[in-house]
Amino acid sequence: MNTFKFTSLILLTTFLMGSSFAVVKMGLPYASPLLLAALRFILAGIIMVVIVIVLKRPHPTSKENWIRMLIIGAFQTAGVMGCIFLSLRTITASESSILTFMNPLLVVVFGTIFLKIRYTSYQWIGVLLGLVGVIITMGAQIEFKIGILFGIFSAVFWALATLLAKKWGAIFDTWVLSAYQMLFGGLLLLIGSFTLESPFFILNGESLSILLWLSIMSSIVQFAVWFYLLQKGDSGKTSAFLFLAPFFGVLSGWLLLGEPLYPSLIVGGLLIIMGIYLVNRNFQQRKVLKKV
């Protein structure tokens, strides 16, 4: 893949990842958080399921593997996205995106604890930088808000989902896993909506546009481009660019919502970005060393 094409696609997918926080915030006046998340992923999941069925992509043949996809969907879509949508009720899109994209740092911590993976000193330095960055970022808060906790939990769920996908991912066709985990996660969010909140959705042109953008551009297109890049290029190099997503999250929150750019938010965000870069960059260096 040539450099221009790679750069264009990586900017597109990370922009869609990061800017979705501001778009969700724009949609919350028209819908309860969990219902908006549920509708987003049920719609995206249905479209993706139709596509993988039409393309005759290989589906799981055992009940155990369907259950594994349900579990991944519970963590990746229901857990991560449910917490993100709930966090945005009380904190800014900038803060939520920074907290959520701590997940590569938590992958190192949880990988060490649960999978006994050994990481290098550079990766642990990245984790420490990220932790300091979170502390500084949250220094922008005069008072504790429940959204901070939801933002942290979104990163925790994402890290756990990453480890589950790493453990079970080879069993599944990538597109089939993406389709059904979104659909299963969306259905779980729908159950959560009717259980944990008073669901509502105000249907008008703006709310419908937001829902379609979140379902098609920020879900289907984002995942399609991301998986394409992972398949066609070096996964370590590609993953290193995830640090652009929280940058776009902060930028879109400022441009679309007029959110203030506190000095602590900028400094803390940069430290988290550096930490994520160190963690992912080192994966790429290790691959190169192994080849040599």
Side-chain angles (χ1 to χ4, degrees):
M1 188 185 308
N2 63 59
T3 303
F4 176 78
K5 182 178 180 181
F6 175 82
T7 303
S8 300
L9 291 178
I10 202 72
L11 288 175
L12 173 63
T13 189
T14 52
F15 166 76
L16 291 173
M17 287 181 191
S19 62
S20 65
F21 290 81
V23 178
V24 169
K25 189 90 170 177
M26 292 168 63
L28 290 181
Y30 305 104
S32 54
L34 294 180
L35 181 60
L36 181 58
L39 294 175
R40 169 187 178 178
F41 287 104
I42 289 173
L43 178 57
I46 289 172
I47 294 172
M48 284 291 291
V49 166
V50 171
I51 290 172
V52 297
I53 290 175
V54 170
L55 296 178
K56 297 181 179 179
R57 306 292 295 193
H59 283 56
T61 56
S62 69
K63 183 174 71 174
E64 290 77 11
N65 284 342
W66 281 105
I67 292 173
R68 288 187 176 111
M69 281 206 299
L70 173 62
I71 293 171
I72 291 174
F75 280 92
Q76 181 66 61
T77 295
V80 175
M81 297 302 168
C83 286
I84 288 173
F85 279 57
L86 289 171
S87 75
L88 288 168
R89 292 187 305 177
T90 55
I91 63 175
T92 66
S94 302
E95 291 162 341
S96 182
S97 64
I98 288 174
L99 290 172
T100 298
F101 283 102
M102 288 193 308
N103 72 88
L105 310 177
L106 295 180
V107 167
V108 174
V109 176
F110 294 155
T112 300
I113 296 172
F114 299 119
L115 300 182
K116 308 303 180 184
I117 299 173
R118 297 182 64 183
Y119 297 97
T120 67
S121 57
Y122 286 103
Q123 288 168 301
W124 282 109
I125 290 172
V127 171
L128 290 175
L129 280 176
L131 179 61
V132 172
V134 171
I135 294 171
I136 293 175
T137 298
M138 293 303 99
Q141 295 284 350
I142 298 175
E143 59 180 337
F144 179 81
K145 296 178 180 178
I146 191 63
I148 296 174
L149 200 56
F150 281 122
I152 292 172
F153 274 127
S154 69
V156 170
F157 279 123
W158 198 340
L160 293 174
T162 299
L163 293 176
L164 288 174
K166 181 180 180 66
K167 183 177 181 180
W168 295 334
I171 301 172
F172 306 107
D173 176 87
T174 301
W175 300 104
V176 171
L177 174 60
S178 177
Y180 285 98
Q181 70 90 13
M182 282 196 291
L183 180 58
F184 292 155
L187 292 172
L188 290 173
L189 285 166
L190 187 62
I191 294 171
S193 173
F194 284 94
T195 304
L196 303 173
E197 66 181 8
S198 300
F200 71 91
F201 186 87
I202 301 171
L203 183 60
N204 56 37
E206 189 168 351
S207 64
L208 186 58
S209 299
I210 289 170
L211 178 60
L212 290 175
W213 178 273
L214 290 172
S215 298
I216 296 172
M217 296 303 297
S218 294
S219 298
I220 296 173
V221 174
Q222 173 196 303
F223 278 116
V225 174
W226 181 250
F227 286 140
Y228 174 80
L229 290 171
L230 289 176
Q231 290 174 348
K232 298 296 182 180
D234 179 88
S235 60
K237 177 182 177 182
T238 303
S239 296
F241 286 91
L242 269 178
F243 68 85
L244 288 171
F247 166 76
F248 283 125
V250 173
L251 184 64
S252 60
W254 175 57
L255 291 173
L256 296 177
L257 303 172
E259 294 178 350
L261 296 178
Y262 297 110
S264 57
L265 184 69
I266 297 172
V267 173
L270 287 174
L271 286 173
I272 293 172
I273 286 171
M274 289 171 59
I276 293 170
Y277 180 77
L278 276 176
V279 167
N280 286 289
R281 179 71 177 180
N282 200 59
F283 281 125
Q284 183 185 3
Q285 291 175 342
R286 287 175 65 184
K287 284 188 176 183
V288 172
L289 289 173
K290 285 180 181 179
K291 290 178 182 179
V292 175

